[in-house]
Amino acid sequence: MKQSLFNISVNYNELINEIEANEGILTDEQSAELEITELQLQSKSIAYLEVIKGKESINTQIDDEVKRLQAMKKVNTNITSRLKENLLNAVIMFGGFEVGLTKFGTRKSQSISVDDINGLPSEFKTIKVTESADKKALKEAIKSGEVISGVELVDNLNLKIN
């Protein structure tokens, strides 16, 4: 029966607890079970590593495909912009026209162009403020012994595979 890495760990911990309860004296059965558990752990860890590397490889391929599609989208956007610009120039030059059921013409719209936002009177400005925590400064303050309400230094344990 195949065991998950979790079950292998649970069995291993139970075995270690039994050995400790027996004051470190190892029976032949416990010794054999310990070796099997270690082999299972190694085998399962390698299997996990293969899955991790496979998924990371797929993610890299997905990232590459996203970049390829974004580049393709940019090319298509440039082409459509250029074609629209050419059609607009034709309508400006020749006036509005129809081809079958499709009408080509222009419409007027207005937009505002601002050269220098800083030179505008305050009633014509909108100020957007975004607050975020300065995590680097907080980390340094806490490490130096300062107590800050609602902030704690959390130790993380990350997987390292060489």
Side-chain angles (χ1 to χ4, degrees), residues 30 35-36 55 111 116 137 142 148 154 159:
Q30 289 173 329
E35 287 178 22
I36 290 171
K55 294 298 180 184
S111 63
D116 182 19
I142 289 176
I148 303 167
V154 178
L159 180 63

Side-chain angles (χ1 to χ4, degrees), residues 102-115:
T102 305
K103 296 179 183 179
F104 295 90
T106 59
R107 65 176 171 78
K108 289 190 175 198
S109 66
Q110 294 180 331
S111 63
I112 298 292
S113 174
V114 178
D115 293 330

Side-chain angles (χ1 to χ4, degrees), residues 31-87:
S31 180
E33 194 174 333
L34 193 57
E35 287 178 22
I36 290 171
T37 303
E38 287 177 2
L39 288 173
Q40 288 174 327
L41 178 65
Q42 291 172 3
S43 170
K44 190 60 74 167
S45 296
I46 293 300
Y48 273 40
L49 182 59
E50 289 173 4
V51 171
I52 289 168
K53 286 185 177 186
K55 294 298 180 184
E56 287 175 341
S57 174
I58 290 170
N59 285 344
T60 300
Q61 291 173 356
I62 290 170
D63 289 342
D64 292 344
E65 184 66 8
V66 166
K67 288 176 188 173
R68 186 186 72 80
L69 291 172
Q70 286 174 332
M72 186 186 295
K73 180 181 177 183
K74 184 176 180 180
V75 168
N76 285 339
T77 300
N78 290 341
I79 290 170
T80 58
S81 295
R82 183 69 179 169
L83 293 174
K84 286 178 182 179
E85 184 181 320
N86 289 347
L87 275 173

Side-chain angles (χ1 to χ4, degrees), residues 118-134:
N118 295 328
L120 292 175
S122 62
E123 67 262 19
F124 297 111
K125 293 182 190 180
T126 301
I127 298 174
K128 296 179 183 179
V129 177
T130 303
E131 289 183 320
S132 62
D134 184 352

Side-chain angles (χ1 to χ4, degrees), residues 131-162:
E131 289 183 320
S132 62
D134 184 352
K135 291 184 178 183
K136 184 178 179 182
L138 285 167
K139 183 177 181 180
E140 290 173 6
I142 289 176
K143 280 187 167 185
S144 69
E146 194 171 333
V147 177
I148 303 167
S149 177
V151 179
E152 65 178 310
L153 187 59
V154 178
D155 290 323
N156 297 312
L157 190 60
N158 301 308
L159 180 63
K160 178 182 173 186
I161 301 173
N162 291 330

